Amino acid sequence: MAENIVFIGGGNMARSLIGGLLQAQHPQQNLFVVDPNTQARQLLRSQFDIAIESTAEKVLSQADVVLLAVKPQVLKEVCVELAPIFKQRPCLVISIVAGIKLSSINHWLGGDYPIVRVMPNTPALIGEGASGLYANPKVSEKQKEIAQNIVSAVGTTVWVSSEKLLNVVTALSGSGPAYHFYFMEIMIRWATAAGLPENIAKTLTLNTAKGAALMALSNDMEVDELRRQVTSKGGTTEAALKSLESENLERLLSRALEAANQRADQLAKELGESQ
Ligand SMILES: NC(=O)c1ccc[n+]([C@@H]2O[C@H](COP(=O)([O-])OP(=O)(O)OC[C@H]3O[C@@H](n4cnc5c(N)ncnc54)[C@H](OP(=O)(O)O)[C@@H]3O)[C@@H](O)[C@H]2O)c1
């Protein structure tokens, strides 16, 4: 039988997950959302025929899974409010809230509950996300499977072996879309300056990124091998790559990723320090 999933917070991410779950045939009567924001509830009602409430009391007693999808700044208040109701019916908690550690969530909920922390990214909003998941030792294999099935509704999932590695996931795929957008911006700007109409530069840039990603995903070859295959000796690609190497792009990008990793660590400390 399908699990009852209660979403706490019915914003962008919750709507994407609900849409994905319904598409994956999760029964609508097993999905519940709690959001005090009237506009958020109206938007949800216009999209889905599921139970939508302004407070948690009524629905939490039926939950098999509670999915925390609020902004980091309000998570403490939300957990403290849920704690007494949660005590009556402990269940699996899934948190997609960026940066907040499992120990903080457990502390605020007032227990030692099974929690899965998820680091999704923005393409999840169109069902093409890449999410890293970490489970605390209280999470059973069955619960891991449940969590994975839920998050898979908005894209690809991977498990990491320590919570700290979620910071690496944040630096890589969490912030990753922005690095790719930045690359695209630069390519479009250069091509426009070199004479192509902007709409054409954009079409070519975006579809090149899409094609390269799809090719790498559908191919057994490693990405460095794919790169070598399109780099003929003395050709245009080689000229461009040599220029990137001479500017030490690898060092630049590695330093950028490390900066994001360290910032994720710092934010986790700041956001959780109110425990
Ligand atoms: N969007 C992404 O691509 C993305 C990527 C990675 C991680 N995340 C994480 O996912 C979480 C949700 O992001 P989002 O983009 O979906 O945020 P969002 O659109 O702002 O949705 C959060 C919703 O929760 C509501 N809320 C506030 N207090 C609440 C309470 N006490 N109980 C229940 N609901 C409450 C908010 O109402 P108000 O607007 O009135 O406060 C809002 O409707 C965040 O923690 C974010 O870090 C998002």
Side-chain angles (χ1 to χ4, degrees), residues 3 12 46 49 58 63 77 81 84-85 95 119 138 148 151 157 164 167 172 179 183 195 203 211 243-244 270 273:
E3 302 78 30
N12 296 312
S46 70
D49 187 13
K58 223 162 94 187
E77 180 195 321
E81 225 175 273
I85 326 171
S95 170
M119 182 60 218
K138 287 267 164 187
Q148 180 161 338
V151 184
T157 56
K164 216 170 162 46
N167 292 340
L172 186 67
Y179 316 148
F183 255 78
T203 301
S243 169
L244 288 174
E270 283 170 24
E273 74 186 1

Side-chain angles (χ1 to χ4, degrees), residues 13 18 42 93-94 110 147 151 173 184-185 224 228 247 274:
M13 278 307 255
I18 292 164
Q42 272 169 357
V93 180
I94 301 176
V151 184
S173 50
M184 292 177 207
E185 263 179 75
D224 61 332
R228 271 192 285 276
E247 301 283 344
S274 47

Side-chain angles (χ1 to χ4, degrees), residues 29-47:
Q29 67 271 22
N30 297 100
L31 298 176
F32 307 82
V33 191
V34 177
D35 197 313
N37 183 314
T38 313
Q39 274 181 335
R41 290 201 305 280
Q42 272 169 357
L43 190 55
L44 283 158
R45 283 206 184 93
S46 70
Q47 279 184 274

Side-chain angles (χ1 to χ4, degrees), residues 81-246:
E81 225 175 273
L82 293 180
I85 326 171
F86 208 77
K87 214 174 174 177
Q88 312 292 319
R89 188 183 164 107
C91 62
L92 173 65
V93 180
I94 301 176
S95 170
I96 61 162
V97 181
I100 306 220
K101 282 187 183 163
L102 296 177
S103 57
S104 301
I105 299 173
N106 248 331
H107 183 76
W108 296 332
L109 283 174
D112 188 13
Y113 300 117
I115 312 181
V116 172
R117 215 182 119 189
V118 181
M119 182 60 218
N121 62 5
T122 45
L125 300 174
I126 56 158
E128 293 290 345
S131 302
L133 286 76
Y134 172 72
N136 72 4
K138 287 267 164 187
V139 179
S140 66
E141 283 307 311
K142 174 77 193 148
Q143 288 173 321
K144 275 180 88 170
E145 200 184 311
I146 291 170
Q148 180 161 338
N149 285 340
I150 294 172
V151 184
S152 297
V154 290
T156 302
T157 56
V158 295
W159 287 94
V160 294
S161 57
S162 77
E163 192 171 7
K164 216 170 162 46
L165 283 177
L166 283 184
N167 292 340
V168 179
V169 171
T170 305
L172 186 67
S173 50
S175 302
Y179 316 148
H180 290 281
F181 296 144
Y182 192 32
F183 255 78
M184 292 177 207
E185 263 179 75
I186 295 168
M187 289 170 78
I188 294 168
R189 250 197 312 274
W190 174 82
T192 308
L196 275 184
E198 195 181 342
N199 61 333
I200 292 182
K202 189 176 167 189
T203 301
L204 291 176
T205 302
L206 268 51
N207 283 286
T208 301
K210 178 184 166 189
L214 286 176
M215 201 171 160
L217 282 167
S218 67
N219 213 298
D220 286 340
M221 259 181 266
E222 296 298 330
V223 283
D224 61 332
E225 185 52 36
L226 284 170
R227 171 174 57 80
R228 271 192 285 276
Q229 273 199 354
V230 291
T231 313
S232 337
K233 215 158 176 46
T236 55
T237 312
E238 188 188 65
L241 292 176
K242 269 187 177 163
S243 169
L244 288 174
E245 275 165 19
S246 74

